Amino acid sequence: MTTLRSHRRILAASLVGTAVEFYDFYIYATAAALVFGSLFFSGQSAGAQLLLSYATFGLAFVARPVGAVLFGHFGDRVGRKSTLVASLVLMGGSTVAIAFLPTYAQVGWIAPALLCLMRLGQGLGLGGEWGGAALLAVENAPPHRRNTWGMFPPLGAPVGFLAANGLFLLLGLVLDEAQFLAWGWRIPFLVSAVLVALGLWVRLKLVETPAFLEAERAEAIPKVPIATLLREHLRPTFAGTFGVISCFALFYLATAFALGYGTKTLGYSREAFLAVELVAIWFLAAGVIVASVLADRQSAQRMLAIGFAGCVVVGALMGPMLGSGSLAVVGLWLAGALFVMGFAYGPLGGWLPSLFPAGVRYTGVSMTFNLGGVLGGALAPIVAEALAPHGLWMVGLYLMAAGVLSLGGLLILGKSSPERGGGWRSQTEG
């Protein structure tokens, strides 16, 4: 029987990995919005620099499904623990390496090529991180607490965001613009090494999850999990993929895009806007906690539906509130968007694993989460940057469309409630 200490270690390990994931991902998104354009694409116009910078941001999303297949295969065949360690090493190592990259002024085209390579490495590692962290939590959880335990990987998002944004804010207060552009932007990537070391220290002390051991004993692990997933579990794969879209669109439009647009177009200072986002991110944490706890009392699908519908409302309000000219109103929109994201994101930690049996669960969760990330996150900053000159209301339409698509994901499943059956009916089916 697991002890209180082992419970804490499991939840800490599921939280710390995704906190590192979102820290790594958000420091890249912030640097892409603020400095990468001029440092790595200095031969282009200002608008082209920002678009190319956001394009490198999207590269990781292209690599994430590949990482999902790769790490999903070993997570389902070899085990959750060792796969999670490997994904964290690849993801964190790629992030730390960015701190040492030369700029375009120093080595020309080699600089953006190396940046793209590191970004692909981040994406591959990220492909196996979130899904494995979610399984680590929910496969060890009591049946009536799967959604509550499953909220710990999603809570990594606000934790990582606070660490990343707080560090950028601190750097903005102690460094001038020239210092930040010259070397200050590298510090957050170096700090990632400390977070990765902490994550590895926690994860190396873990044991394998009961669900994987049961599937292994019952010989219910397919030789090629991705083939079995696509052949026998296509409907939940589509449902999960569409269900993820809105949370990614909300996150990156309310953070990376809003920061770039607020500072470069609306004229707010970087420090002021980062401070507003630091306040707003607490609403994401609150949304995740409230939605996940309620999901165990009602259902994850119901909480997700609230979040997806809220995404449509937030999209409709984006133009008049983000473009209001008042930083206080902008802050209200950011807080509302991120609170809604908590409902669209928190219950995913328990809901996505419920869609698949244990033998293909790592692959299934990783594929749905990362394919949904491509559709909702990779395109979001690029499309938003292209639409913004024609009016923020058009970016809002994009966000509304993301909410509608995610609602469609729930409709694919019909009236079934997978978190009270489905993949949990038998840990070894499929």
Side-chain angles (χ1 to χ4, degrees), residues 25 28-29 32 36 40-41 50-68 98 101 109-127 252 370 373-375 377-382:
F25 226 47
Y28 192 99
F36 278 174
F40 291 93
F41 303 99
L50 193 58
L51 279 174
L52 288 169
S53 181
Y54 281 145
T56 67
F57 174 79
L59 273 179
F61 285 98
V62 177
R64 285 174 76 140
V66 179
I98 292 174
L101 292 183
W109 65 268
I110 296 176
L114 289 173
L115 180 65
C116 290
L117 182 62
M118 294 304 101
R119 188 62 178 153
L120 288 171
Q122 273 189 321
L124 286 173
L126 286 164
Y252 289 108
N370 289 292
V374 172
L375 297 173
L379 298 177
I382 300 171

Side-chain angles (χ1 to χ4, degrees), residues 50-284:
L50 193 58
L51 279 174
L52 288 169
S53 181
Y54 281 145
T56 67
F57 174 79
L59 273 179
F61 285 98
V62 177
R64 285 174 76 140
V66 179
V69 174
L70 175 66
F71 287 103
H73 178 86
F74 289 104
D76 282 327
R77 294 283 302 164
V78 178
R80 316 315 196 201
K81 174 188 171 180
S82 57
T83 305
L84 274 169
V85 169
S87 69
L88 184 60
V89 169
L90 177 59
M91 177 180 66
S94 300
T95 302
V96 174
I98 292 174
F100 299 96
L101 292 183
T103 64
Y104 187 90
Q106 294 171 313
V107 295
W109 65 268
I110 296 176
L114 289 173
L115 180 65
C116 290
L117 182 62
M118 294 304 101
R119 188 62 178 153
L120 288 171
Q122 273 189 321
L124 286 173
L126 286 164
E129 174 57 43
W130 195 94
L135 299 198
L136 183 64
V138 300
E139 289 187 344
N140 283 291
H144 63 294
R145 289 287 182 268
R146 287 193 180 110
N147 290 295
T148 301
W149 282 45
M151 77 180 175
F152 280 84
L155 277 177
V159 171
F161 182 95
L162 285 167
N165 233 7
L167 184 52
F168 271 107
L169 178 59
L170 180 62
L171 291 173
L173 294 174
V174 301
L175 302 178
D176 59 35
E177 194 69 27
Q179 291 172 322
F180 182 78
L181 192 63
W183 52 269
W185 66 270
R186 299 180 186 271
I187 294 175
F189 293 92
L190 285 172
V191 170
S192 181
V194 178
L195 301 177
V196 172
L198 175 63
L200 289 175
W201 178 73
V202 174
R203 286 186 173 180
L204 287 171
K205 295 176 177 289
L206 297 174
V207 296
E208 197 50 76
T209 70
F212 175 79
L213 294 175
E214 183 183 337
E216 191 174 44
R217 284 193 299 269
E219 298 183 352
I221 298 174
K223 291 184 178 180
V224 185
I226 184 63
T228 302
L229 179 76
L230 297 179
R231 185 175 62 249
E232 301 178 14
H233 307 283
L234 198 56
R235 184 178 178 185
T237 299
F238 275 114
T241 297
F242 281 99
V244 169
I245 290 173
S246 65
C247 84
F248 272 94
L250 277 164
F251 185 72
Y252 289 108
L253 290 181
T255 54
F257 168 75
L259 176 62
Y261 188 83
T263 55
K264 297 181 185 300
T265 302
L266 300 179
Y268 297 112
S269 72
R270 182 171 70 235
E271 289 73 28
F273 208 93
L274 285 173
V276 169
E277 288 199 329
L278 278 174
V279 174
I281 202 66
W282 289 98
F283 287 83
L284 170 58

Side-chain angles (χ1 to χ4, degrees), residues 286-309:
V288 167
I289 294 170
V290 171
S292 299
V293 171
L294 288 177
D296 274 327
R297 298 180 181 180
Q298 301 183 32
S299 76
Q301 282 181 282
R302 182 172 298 177
M303 296 303 106
L304 289 169
I306 293 172
F308 301 158

Side-chain angles (χ1 to χ4, degrees), residues 329-409:
V329 175
V330 170
L332 284 175
W333 183 83
L334 292 173
L338 290 172
F339 184 74
V340 164
M341 182 197 159
F343 276 74
Y345 181 45
L348 290 178
W351 182 67
L352 288 177
S354 76
L355 301 178
F356 308 100
V360 296
R361 190 172 290 147
Y362 202 124
T363 301
V365 173
S366 297
M367 284 297 294
T368 54
F369 188 75
N370 289 292
L371 286 174
V374 172
L375 297 173
L379 298 177
I382 300 171
V383 173
E385 191 65 29
L387 292 177
H390 305 286
L392 275 176
W393 66 273
M394 294 191 69
V395 184
L397 283 178
Y398 179 84
L399 196 50
M400 293 171 71
V404 171
L405 286 173
S406 288
L407 285 169

